[in-house]
Amino acid sequence: MKRKFEFVYQFKVTLKGVKPAVWRRIQVPDFYTFWDLHVAIQDVFGWLDYHLHEFELMNPESCAITTIGIPSDEELFDREILPGWKQGISNWFSTNNRSALYTYDFGDDWKHVVRLEKILPREEKKKYPFCVDGKRACPPEDCGGVWGYRDFLKVLKNPEHEEYEDLLNWVGGKFDPEYFDPQKVRFMDPVKRRKSAFGE
């Protein structure tokens, strides 16, 4: 059964450390949880959701920085991680609390600035989540983070480089860092993604 909602949250999500900037603008329903938002970010960037993730943002009640993601029995540094599927974005984001840091893949350490731009009335004929706009391709999964991606791009600019053919084959034969088409974004059902990930 589809859930009814009145408002959508428009976010601009920007990958930190990569220039020119890689960013996406998305609109999601107001009932979304942080897990749902995670899935939407994965889909709109083209990440493959192979790794762990977390959001860090200010708790509007305590004003303390809080971590939301996938809790573990082995919490690092005694940090509490709130389960993303139990935290609604509307309880955290507001015009007074606009920003969060989203980290994906703690090895490559991809950090994204998630900024609430607007809270808008739902458009009846539009399907949400919705990708409004964006610029540039997402780096390939497991390419070594910001520094690895810079090296990757340097090699791809030089067909004479000894690693050129191997890297090109690794990314499927072609890679255009400038390419992004918002109309080709396909969003997965976050409930199905969670069942697939956790068997719940």
Side-chain angles (χ1 to χ4, degrees), residues 1-51:
M1 184 176 74
K2 292 184 178 180
R3 294 183 63 175
K4 294 181 179 180
F5 59 99
E6 295 183 27
F7 298 99
V8 296
Y9 282 55
Q10 179 171 299
F11 294 99
K12 184 177 182 182
V13 186
T14 305
L15 189 59
K16 292 187 71 174
V18 177
K19 295 182 180 181
V22 177
W23 60 271
R24 307 288 186 260
R25 179 170 284 117
I26 57 174
Q27 295 175 347
V28 303
D30 59 13
F31 64 76
Y32 256 32
T33 67
F34 278 85
W35 170 263
D36 301 334
L37 181 58
H38 153 70
V39 172
I41 292 173
Q42 288 283 306
D43 292 342
V44 80
F45 269 84
W47 294 122
L48 301 175
D49 208 359
Y50 289 158
H51 305 281

Side-chain angles (χ1 to χ4, degrees), residues 68-85:
I68 300 174
I70 301 174
S72 169
D73 293 334
E74 301 176 4
E75 301 292 3
L76 296 176
F77 310 113
D78 295 323
R79 288 191 316 156
E80 180 185 11
I81 301 176
L82 301 179
W85 48 88

